Amino acid sequence: MTPWLRCARLALLLALLMCLPPLRAQNAALDAMVSLDNDGSAVIVESLQFPAPRYDQFEWRAPARRPGPLGINYPVVLTVLEVSGGEGAPLPYQLRQFDDYTRLRVPLAGSRSLKITYSLENATRFWSDRDEFAWTLGGGSDVARSASLSVHLP
């Protein structure tokens, strides 16, 4: 095999490996419950179950602004109520607010589950013909391979 062909095969293999999802994304399950209130606020509970203990730091993000009419963004106020692991034991976390998003980092230290409970203010848009609640669950991460959602309306 010529050196050129060997390099081409290696480059193709590296390109294919870069397209694969990270190993941490395999088989995690997301269960979420959204409770909406009449004032447009919401309480959300996200529970992630991992197939094996994780020893890394989990990063979760949420938008701090949502698109509104006429291209004007409106702020969404997020308050973390609880971060816990298996059996409800509280986990330490770092919360940081940026202009466009809120970031939560949780060191998992061998946990197989993660539960994040938070509230949102100004999360629902009220229109003349409908009300609209739009939110991305899972913190924008790709760890969930399966998901379930229950929504509780006022």
Side-chain angles (χ1 to χ4, degrees):
M1 183 181 308
T2 66
W4 179 85
L5 187 56
R6 199 174 307 142
C7 288
R9 280 187 170 179
L10 181 60
L12 179 61
L13 178 63
L14 288 174
L16 288 173
L17 287 175
M18 291 175 66
C19 294
L20 292 175
L23 291 177
R24 65 179 174 82
Q26 295 178 353
N27 300 324
L30 170 65
D31 296 315
M33 182 198 67
V34 177
S35 296
L36 298 171
D37 204 350
N38 286 327
D39 64 358
S41 64
V43 173
I44 300 175
V45 179
E46 295 185 19
S47 299
L48 282 162
Q49 301 294 324
F50 305 108
R54 289 186 51 166
Y55 294 92
D56 60 342
Q57 182 168 274
F58 183 79
E59 186 168 300
W60 180 93
R61 292 180 181 213
R65 302 181 190 291
R66 301 296 296 171
L70 305 173
I72 299 171
N73 292 336
Y74 62 92
V76 176
V77 179
L78 184 145
T79 304
V80 174
L81 303 174
E82 176 189 6
V83 177
S84 60
E87 302 178 21
L91 291 175
Y93 62 90
Q94 297 172 341
L95 183 68
R96 186 139 185 226
Q97 305 269 348
F98 296 93
D99 285 340
D100 295 336
Y101 66 94
T102 299
R103 181 184 70 203
L104 179 74
R105 287 186 174 165
V106 183
L108 293 175
S111 183
R112 291 185 65 165
S113 62
L114 174 63
K115 179 177 153 187
I116 302 170
T117 304
Y118 56 96
S119 66
L120 298 173
E121 293 178 32
N122 201 22
T124 305
R125 295 287 86 192
F126 298 101
W127 307 96
S128 60
D129 59 339
R130 69 187 186 284
D131 298 339
E132 182 178 277
F133 176 82
W135 193 250
T136 302
L137 296 171
S141 71
D142 60 354
V143 297
R145 290 294 184 175
S146 65
S148 68
L149 170 67
S150 59
V151 179
H152 301 272
L153 301 172

